[in-house]
mmCIF file of all heavy atoms in Angstrom:
data_model
loop_
_atom_site.group_PDB
_atom_site.id
_atom_site.type_symbol
_atom_site.label_atom_id
_atom_site.label_comp_id
_atom_site.label_asym_id
_atom_site.label_seq_id
_atom_site.Cartn_x
_atom_site.Cartn_y
_atom_site.Cartn_z
ATOM 1 N N VAL A 428 5.539 -64.656 32.555
ATOM 2 C CA VAL A 428 5.602 -63.681 31.444
ATOM 3 C C VAL A 428 4.520 -64.011 30.414
ATOM 4 O O VAL A 428 3.789 -63.122 29.955
ATOM 5 C CB VAL A 428 7.002 -63.686 30.774
ATOM 6 C CG1 VAL A 428 6.998 -62.818 29.504
ATOM 7 C CG2 VAL A 428 8.060 -63.174 31.742
ATOM 8 N N ILE A 429 4.415 -65.283 30.056
ATOM 9 C CA ILE A 429 3.409 -65.719 29.074
ATOM 10 C C ILE A 429 1.996 -65.441 29.597
ATOM 11 O O ILE A 429 1.128 -64.946 28.864
ATOM 12 C CB ILE A 429 3.587 -67.219 28.737
ATOM 13 C CG1 ILE A 429 4.922 -67.422 28.004
ATOM 14 C CG2 ILE A 429 2.431 -67.748 27.892
ATOM 15 C CD1 ILE A 429 5.401 -68.863 27.951
ATOM 16 N N PHE A 430 1.766 -65.708 30.887
ATOM 17 C CA PHE A 430 0.451 -65.476 31.495
ATOM 18 C C PHE A 430 0.069 -63.987 31.441
ATOM 19 O O PHE A 430 -1.054 -63.639 31.063
ATOM 20 C CB PHE A 430 0.459 -65.970 32.949
ATOM 21 C CG PHE A 430 -0.826 -65.713 33.688
ATOM 22 C CD1 PHE A 430 -1.943 -66.501 33.458
ATOM 23 C CD2 PHE A 430 -0.917 -64.675 34.612
ATOM 24 C CE1 PHE A 430 -3.142 -66.263 34.134
ATOM 25 C CE2 PHE A 430 -2.097 -64.424 35.286
ATOM 26 C CZ PHE A 430 -3.218 -65.225 35.047
ATOM 27 N N CYS A 431 1.013 -63.103 31.814
ATOM 28 C CA CYS A 431 0.733 -61.656 31.816
ATOM 29 C C CYS A 431 0.546 -61.112 30.402
ATOM 30 O O CYS A 431 -0.270 -60.218 30.185
ATOM 31 C CB CYS A 431 1.849 -60.900 32.538
ATOM 32 S SG CYS A 431 1.807 -61.131 34.326
ATOM 33 N N ALA A 432 1.295 -61.661 29.448
ATOM 34 C CA ALA A 432 1.104 -61.268 28.054
ATOM 35 C C ALA A 432 -0.316 -61.615 27.605
ATOM 36 O O ALA A 432 -0.968 -60.847 26.890
ATOM 37 C CB ALA A 432 2.125 -61.952 27.165
ATOM 38 N N GLY A 433 -0.811 -62.761 28.052
ATOM 39 C CA GLY A 433 -2.177 -63.188 27.730
ATOM 40 C C GLY A 433 -3.222 -62.232 28.289
ATOM 41 O O GLY A 433 -4.184 -61.877 27.599
ATOM 42 N N ILE A 434 -3.006 -61.773 29.543
ATOM 43 C CA ILE A 434 -3.927 -60.805 30.154
ATOM 44 C C ILE A 434 -3.933 -59.506 29.352
ATOM 45 O O ILE A 434 -4.979 -58.908 29.099
ATOM 46 C CB ILE A 434 -3.545 -60.523 31.632
ATOM 47 C CG1 ILE A 434 -3.863 -61.743 32.495
ATOM 48 C CG2 ILE A 434 -4.280 -59.293 32.171
ATOM 49 C CD1 ILE A 434 -3.468 -61.606 33.951
ATOM 50 N N ASN A 435 -2.759 -59.077 28.907
ATOM 51 C CA ASN A 435 -2.649 -57.833 28.140
ATOM 52 C C ASN A 435 -3.398 -57.902 26.816
ATOM 53 O O ASN A 435 -3.869 -56.885 26.314
ATOM 54 C CB ASN A 435 -1.172 -57.478 27.897
ATOM 55 C CG ASN A 435 -0.600 -56.629 29.006
ATOM 56 O OD1 ASN A 435 -0.642 -55.410 28.930
ATOM 57 N ND2 ASN A 435 -0.100 -57.253 30.054
ATOM 58 N N LEU A 436 -3.483 -59.099 26.237
ATOM 59 C CA LEU A 436 -4.213 -59.253 24.970
ATOM 60 C C LEU A 436 -5.707 -58.969 25.139
ATOM 61 O O LEU A 436 -6.399 -58.658 24.177
ATOM 62 C CB LEU A 436 -4.036 -60.685 24.432
ATOM 63 C CG LEU A 436 -2.723 -60.979 23.702
ATOM 64 C CD1 LEU A 436 -2.669 -62.446 23.328
ATOM 65 C CD2 LEU A 436 -2.583 -60.104 22.454
ATOM 66 N N LEU A 437 -6.192 -59.064 26.379
ATOM 67 C CA LEU A 437 -7.625 -58.865 26.638
ATOM 68 C C LEU A 437 -8.030 -57.392 26.678
ATOM 69 O O LEU A 437 -9.208 -57.078 26.697
ATOM 70 C CB LEU A 437 -8.014 -59.555 27.953
ATOM 71 C CG LEU A 437 -7.768 -61.073 28.007
ATOM 72 C CD1 LEU A 437 -8.076 -61.615 29.391
ATOM 73 C CD2 LEU A 437 -8.610 -61.804 26.961
ATOM 74 N N GLY A 438 -7.055 -56.472 26.721
ATOM 75 C CA GLY A 438 -7.378 -55.047 26.607
ATOM 76 C C GLY A 438 -7.117 -54.233 27.867
ATOM 77 O O GLY A 438 -6.917 -54.767 28.955
ATOM 78 N N THR A 439 -7.169 -52.887 27.701
ATOM 79 C CA THR A 439 -6.834 -51.929 28.766
ATOM 80 C C THR A 439 -7.704 -52.081 30.004
ATOM 81 O O THR A 439 -7.209 -52.064 31.127
ATOM 82 C CB THR A 439 -6.984 -50.477 28.238
ATOM 83 O OG1 THR A 439 -6.195 -50.334 27.075
ATOM 84 C CG2 THR A 439 -6.540 -49.460 29.268
ATOM 85 N N ASP A 440 -9.025 -52.239 29.800
ATOM 86 C CA ASP A 440 -9.914 -52.299 30.964
ATOM 87 C C ASP A 440 -9.657 -53.555 31.795
ATOM 88 O O ASP A 440 -9.736 -53.526 33.021
ATOM 89 C CB ASP A 440 -11.384 -52.215 30.539
ATOM 90 C CG ASP A 440 -11.755 -53.247 29.482
ATOM 91 O OD1 ASP A 440 -10.859 -53.646 28.722
ATOM 92 O OD2 ASP A 440 -12.933 -53.650 29.421
ATOM 93 N N ILE A 441 -9.311 -54.673 31.128
ATOM 94 C CA ILE A 441 -8.989 -55.916 31.853
ATOM 95 C C ILE A 441 -7.685 -55.747 32.632
ATOM 96 O O ILE A 441 -7.572 -56.182 33.778
ATOM 97 C CB ILE A 441 -8.860 -57.118 30.883
ATOM 98 C CG1 ILE A 441 -10.179 -57.335 30.117
ATOM 99 C CG2 ILE A 441 -8.461 -58.391 31.601
ATOM 100 C CD1 ILE A 441 -11.328 -57.820 30.959
ATOM 101 N N VAL A 442 -6.684 -55.095 31.994
ATOM 102 C CA VAL A 442 -5.404 -54.828 32.670
ATOM 103 C C VAL A 442 -5.655 -54.009 33.926
ATOM 104 O O VAL A 442 -5.152 -54.320 35.008
ATOM 105 C CB VAL A 442 -4.409 -54.089 31.727
ATOM 106 C CG1 VAL A 442 -3.163 -53.665 32.491
ATOM 107 C CG2 VAL A 442 -4.009 -54.982 30.568
ATOM 108 N N GLY A 443 -6.476 -52.944 33.792
ATOM 109 C CA GLY A 443 -6.789 -52.075 34.932
ATOM 110 C C GLY A 443 -7.479 -52.824 36.054
ATOM 111 O O GLY A 443 -7.143 -52.666 37.231
ATOM 112 N N THR A 444 -8.445 -53.675 35.715
ATOM 113 C CA THR A 444 -9.175 -54.464 36.718
ATOM 114 C C THR A 444 -8.253 -55.457 37.423
ATOM 115 O O THR A 444 -8.286 -55.601 38.653
ATOM 116 C CB THR A 444 -10.345 -55.239 36.057
ATOM 117 O OG1 THR A 444 -11.166 -54.311 35.359
ATOM 118 C CG2 THR A 444 -11.174 -55.972 37.086
ATOM 119 N N ALA A 445 -7.409 -56.138 36.645
ATOM 120 C CA ALA A 445 -6.454 -57.103 37.216
ATOM 121 C C ALA A 445 -5.509 -56.412 38.193
ATOM 122 O O ALA A 445 -5.232 -56.926 39.285
ATOM 123 C CB ALA A 445 -5.661 -57.778 36.096
ATOM 124 N N GLU A 446 -5.019 -55.208 37.803
ATOM 125 C CA GLU A 446 -4.126 -54.439 38.680
ATOM 126 C C GLU A 446 -4.840 -54.075 39.977
ATOM 127 O O GLU A 446 -4.287 -54.195 41.065
ATOM 128 C CB GLU A 446 -3.682 -53.141 37.981
ATOM 129 C CG GLU A 446 -2.777 -53.336 36.791
ATOM 130 C CD GLU A 446 -1.463 -53.987 37.164
ATOM 131 O OE1 GLU A 446 -0.858 -53.595 38.167
ATOM 132 O OE2 GLU A 446 -1.053 -54.902 36.446
ATOM 133 N N THR A 447 -6.087 -53.591 39.865
ATOM 134 C CA THR A 447 -6.842 -53.141 41.038
ATOM 135 C C THR A 447 -7.010 -54.267 42.049
ATOM 136 O O THR A 447 -6.769 -54.087 43.248
ATOM 137 C CB THR A 447 -8.227 -52.611 40.619
ATOM 138 O OG1 THR A 447 -8.048 -51.594 39.616
ATOM 139 C CG2 THR A 447 -8.972 -52.006 41.793
ATOM 140 N N LEU A 448 -7.417 -55.441 41.582
ATOM 141 C CA LEU A 448 -7.634 -56.588 42.475
ATOM 142 C C LEU A 448 -6.334 -57.048 43.131
ATOM 143 O O LEU A 448 -6.274 -57.255 44.346
ATOM 144 C CB LEU A 448 -8.257 -57.753 41.688
ATOM 145 C CG LEU A 448 -9.691 -57.526 41.176
ATOM 146 C CD1 LEU A 448 -10.114 -58.662 40.266
ATOM 147 C CD2 LEU A 448 -10.667 -57.377 42.337
ATOM 148 N N ALA A 449 -5.282 -57.196 42.315
ATOM 149 C CA ALA A 449 -3.991 -57.673 42.842
ATOM 150 C C ALA A 449 -3.405 -56.691 43.843
ATOM 151 O O ALA A 449 -2.981 -57.080 44.938
ATOM 152 C CB ALA A 449 -3.013 -57.907 41.694
ATOM 153 N N ILE A 450 -3.407 -55.404 43.476
ATOM 154 C CA ILE A 450 -2.775 -54.403 44.330
ATOM 155 C C ILE A 450 -3.576 -54.154 45.601
ATOM 156 O O ILE A 450 -3.008 -53.866 46.652
ATOM 157 C CB ILE A 450 -2.542 -53.099 43.528
ATOM 158 C CG1 ILE A 450 -1.466 -53.345 42.466
ATOM 159 C CG2 ILE A 450 -2.135 -51.947 44.418
ATOM 160 C CD1 ILE A 450 -0.182 -53.974 42.989
ATOM 161 N N GLY A 451 -4.895 -54.311 45.527
ATOM 162 C CA GLY A 451 -5.716 -54.187 46.737
ATOM 163 C C GLY A 451 -5.288 -55.190 47.793
ATOM 164 O O GLY A 451 -5.079 -54.847 48.964
ATOM 165 N N PHE A 452 -5.113 -56.431 47.385
ATOM 166 C CA PHE A 452 -4.680 -57.496 48.305
ATOM 167 C C PHE A 452 -3.275 -57.228 48.829
ATOM 168 O O PHE A 452 -3.014 -57.330 50.040
ATOM 169 C CB PHE A 452 -4.725 -58.857 47.589
ATOM 170 C CG PHE A 452 -4.211 -59.993 48.428
ATOM 171 C CD1 PHE A 452 -5.033 -60.602 49.372
ATOM 172 C CD2 PHE A 452 -2.910 -60.451 48.290
ATOM 173 C CE1 PHE A 452 -4.563 -61.650 50.162
ATOM 174 C CE2 PHE A 452 -2.421 -61.492 49.071
ATOM 175 C CZ PHE A 452 -3.259 -62.095 50.008
#
């Protein structure tokens, strides 16, 4: 939870990129 909250602090485009990479795999 803490790790994902940290990713969210980096902004919408980072969230979108993280989702794309994870979901692709």
Side-chain angles (χ1 to χ4, degrees):
V428 172
I429 294 164
F430 177 76
C431 287
I434 289 177
N435 271 269
L436 280 176
L437 300 175
T439 305
D440 53 332
I441 300 291
V442 173
T444 305
E446 292 297 316
T447 306
L448 293 172
I450 291 309
F452 176 82

